[in-house]
Amino acid sequence: MKQLFDDVSFKCSKLVTKNYSTSFSLAVYMLSPTIREAIYSIYGFVRFADEIVDTFHGFDKETLITEFEDEYYKAYDRGISLNPILNSFQQTVKEYNIGDDLIQAFLRSMKLDLIKSDYHSKEEYDAYIYGSADVVGLMCLKVFVAGDNARYEQLKDEAMRLGSAFQKVNFLRDLKDDNLVLNRNYFPGVDLNSFDEKAKTAIINEIEEDFRVAYEGIVKLPMEAKFGVYTAYVYYRKLLKKLENTPCHEIGSARIRVSNYTKAGLLAKSFVSYKLKLV
């Protein structure tokens, strides 16, 4: 029975989410059960593509990402794939009418990681972030609004800004690995070998403005999505505050994290805010 295979496929996407990101997995769990599977499937797809270009060292990454893309389109055309991650994702794409332009933009940014190590202009930087993060926010928004195109258009700018904020926080958090392991610098005009408080402050101010705009969209989300997205927002704001309070030389030499204990406290505070309709 194909339904059993489909169920297993979505469970595989959930497993990928839980193992690769405890914080995002927690946020997804705060969504309505009616949309959790779809968000898991989106995360599974983007996570695997990202892993290909970031961690599969010693393998032909270009061939792997090309095959991953080809297999996705085969799955979409056939309505099935023996790769459970692609099988669940293609179903979500069809059910929620996720545009292929979003998927292509995402894959373009992933492929850039194979050939580009520095971003010298704001235009390059913005284009990369759009493909690697903003469109993921838009894919999720497609699920959140469940076919309400007017609401999608109303909230798309804020969804993109939230994606941008998350990605820029990740860039700042992963400064050490991006620079020393992957030899990448996403921040235009910033010399990571002489990263200082002035550069860090400018980046943080930019992220804070993204968060400010994004919050305006979070409060307008459907009830099925609001608490889960707000949970992720609160977690990333906490991580940003921790980065702000960390000396710049430590950011470049260690990966800054939020403890599980702190995450539990943030979840409790988020729940209270949500129940008191402060969000």
Side-chain angles (χ1 to χ4, degrees), residues 17-58:
T17 308
K18 291 181 68 175
N19 279 273
Y20 276 101
S21 178
T22 55
S23 55
F24 189 77
S25 180
L26 179 64
V28 176
Y29 190 72
M30 297 303 112
L31 298 172
S32 166
T34 60
I35 58 175
R36 282 180 202 156
E37 284 191 342
I39 301 302
Y40 285 136
S41 74
I42 292 171
Y43 183 87
F45 176 80
V46 301
R47 181 77 264 166
F48 270 23
D50 193 58
E51 287 303 302
I52 290 171
V53 299
D54 277 1
T55 67
F56 291 177
H57 311 309

